[in-house]
Amino acid sequence: MIELKKLSNGFEYLEIQNDFATAKIALQGAHIFEYKRSGEDDLLWLSEVSDFERGKAIRGGVPICWPAFGLNNPELPQHGFARTSLFELVSSSEIDAETTEVKLRLTHSEDTLKLWNYKFELVFKVTISDKLTMELTTINRDEKGFKLTQALHSYFKLSDISNAVVKGLDKKLCFDALTDGNGIQNGDITFNQEFDRVFQKVENELILKDRDKTIKIDNKGSSSVVVWNPWIDKCKRMSAMKDEAYREFVCIESANAFEDFVIVKPQKKHTLKATIEFF
Ligand code: TA6
């Protein structure tokens, strides 16, 4: 089942259901804000006080940061403009009883050209099955090449942050956004304070272990990963987040950030792909 639904304020989203899973994807930002397998709890975290309003980014799920991650491009808003832009539904198909595929697209407009003077086509293909597969393809429709940074800014729901362990980043180079300094990760990541690091040269899969589930993240077309938890103080300052929300999630973001930027030549394309499996 694939259905286009509308909230009373006109905010539109797709509701998807198949034998393996259900998902909800907002047309604004092509934003997956729910993914859960049949009979299981949500696997993505969504803020209880998230906005579902045109022009305001949803807090949680998988925001698409494009064509800039963070403030990598000072001329653009934090995390770019894709997450507050209206995508169009290009196609939706039930591949089989357990697999549904949808494609959403954003193309340049007068508004985007004012912010970022390039013609483009951005296609987000989502495959919903017993795993979540996301493919973000940037096509340069301009005469000039452009540089972009981006991320699939996934919020993973946790039993509690004290149970979370991130594996696969040991000895990786990283930029620490809290100290503005570079360093090398030592061992697995556990959380007992604010954490905001961008890891580079990450070609291997990542594992997130929680009390009663394990998540495997495999990225393609990307060699940078962001790991973030706001902890107590920053959580209080965050928009659309309850004070205790930091306990409930960790962001592990499949990215092209900082040195891992992408140059897309005219009429060429680049795909950032993340495959997320749950055990
Ligand atoms: O990806 C981590 C990060 O850049 C953090 O620094 C934090 O700001 C987070 O993203 C959320 O950003 P947002 O713009 O959604 O409030």
Side-chain angles (χ1 to χ4, degrees):
M1 183 271 296
I2 307 166
E3 231 177 291
L4 185 60
K5 296 202 166 178
K6 199 183 265 195
L7 300 178
S8 54
N9 65 359
F11 194 87
E12 290 184 296
Y13 66 97
L14 284 172
E15 190 155 326
I16 293 159
Q17 187 171 0
N18 60 39
D19 290 1
F20 264 153
T22 61
K24 291 179 180 168
I25 309 176
L27 295 193
Q28 176 181 273
H31 198 133
I32 305 169
F33 63 91
E34 185 182 297
Y35 170 81
K36 61 180 168 188
R37 299 192 306 185
S38 311
E40 293 181 11
D41 190 7
D42 289 297
L43 286 152
L44 297 174
W45 177 80
L46 177 65
S47 169
E48 289 170 53
V49 289
S50 175
D51 297 297
F52 285 91
E53 210 179 306
R54 283 290 289 110
K56 290 189 179 170
I58 294 170
R59 178 62 72 194
V62 185
I64 294 175
C65 307
W66 190 96
F69 172 77
L71 293 170
N72 277 184
N73 180 338
E75 283 155 32
L76 292 172
Q78 154 110 334
H79 293 326
F81 53 76
R83 62 177 173 168
T84 51
S85 299
L86 206 55
F87 283 63
E88 60 176 318
L89 177 64
V90 176
S91 67
S92 60
S93 50
E94 291 168 317
I95 308 295
D96 56 40
E98 292 142 1
T99 314
T100 312
E101 185 190 283
V102 294
K103 265 192 203 160
L104 299 119
R105 176 172 56 202
L106 179 69
T107 50
H108 60 275
S109 64
E110 261 179 53
D111 290 343
T112 67
L113 288 165
K114 282 188 206 123
L115 282 171
W116 194 63
N117 191 21
Y118 298 101
K119 297 183 189 128
F120 66 85
E121 198 177 323
L122 181 64
V123 178
F124 190 47
K125 184 169 108 177
V126 183
T127 308
I128 305 290
S129 65
D130 58 343
K131 56 187 169 197
L132 177 60
T133 309
M134 303 178 280
E135 294 167 74
L136 185 66
T137 300
T138 300
I139 306 164
N140 181 342
R141 294 291 183 211
D142 208 287
E143 297 79 44
K144 44 192 190 298
F146 55 62
K147 171 183 174 178
L148 71 97
T149 55
Q150 57 186 346
L152 298 169
H153 194 303
S154 308
Y155 287 75
F156 292 104
K157 188 172 181 178
L158 297 170
S159 57
D160 188 88
I161 189 70
S162 58
N163 297 323
V165 184
V166 180
K167 296 176 176 289
L169 295 168
D170 182 27
K171 301 195 181 38
K172 296 290 180 194
L173 276 176
C174 63
F175 168 74
D176 187 335
L178 307 180
T179 63
D180 251 357
N182 292 316
I184 293 183
Q185 177 60 32
N186 183 21
D188 294 343
I189 300 172
T190 54
F191 302 87
N192 54 17
Q193 58 189 317
E194 185 178 357
F195 194 97
D196 195 346
R197 293 183 193 168
V198 181
F199 296 87
Q200 294 292 342
K201 297 197 172 35
V202 183
E203 310 293 349
N204 52 285
E205 66 188 23
L206 303 174
I207 299 286
L208 167 61
K209 274 196 172 303
D210 186 11
R211 186 188 56 208
D212 43 27
K213 67 174 180 255
T214 298
I215 295 175
K216 188 171 82 169
I217 303 160
D218 195 28
N219 300 326
K220 296 275 181 292
S222 151
S223 65
S224 50
V225 167
V226 184
V227 177
W228 177 59
N229 183 279
W231 214 245
I232 300 165
D233 296 343
K234 177 137 187 196
C235 188
K236 287 194 175 104
R237 299 195 305 275
M238 293 297 300
S239 63
M241 231 184 236
K242 284 193 166 182
D243 288 359
E244 289 301 301
Y246 72 95
R247 304 209 68 89
E248 301 163 4
F249 74 88
V250 64
C251 287
I252 303 179
E253 307 163 32
S254 312
N256 294 106
F258 293 87
E259 297 82 18
D260 182 31
F261 60 80
V262 177
I263 299 285
V264 189
K265 296 199 169 115
Q267 309 317 319
K268 297 291 181 198
K269 60 183 167 184
H270 174 270
T271 297
L272 166 62
K273 179 177 182 178
T275 305
I276 305 178
E277 288 182 78
F278 305 87
F279 305 93

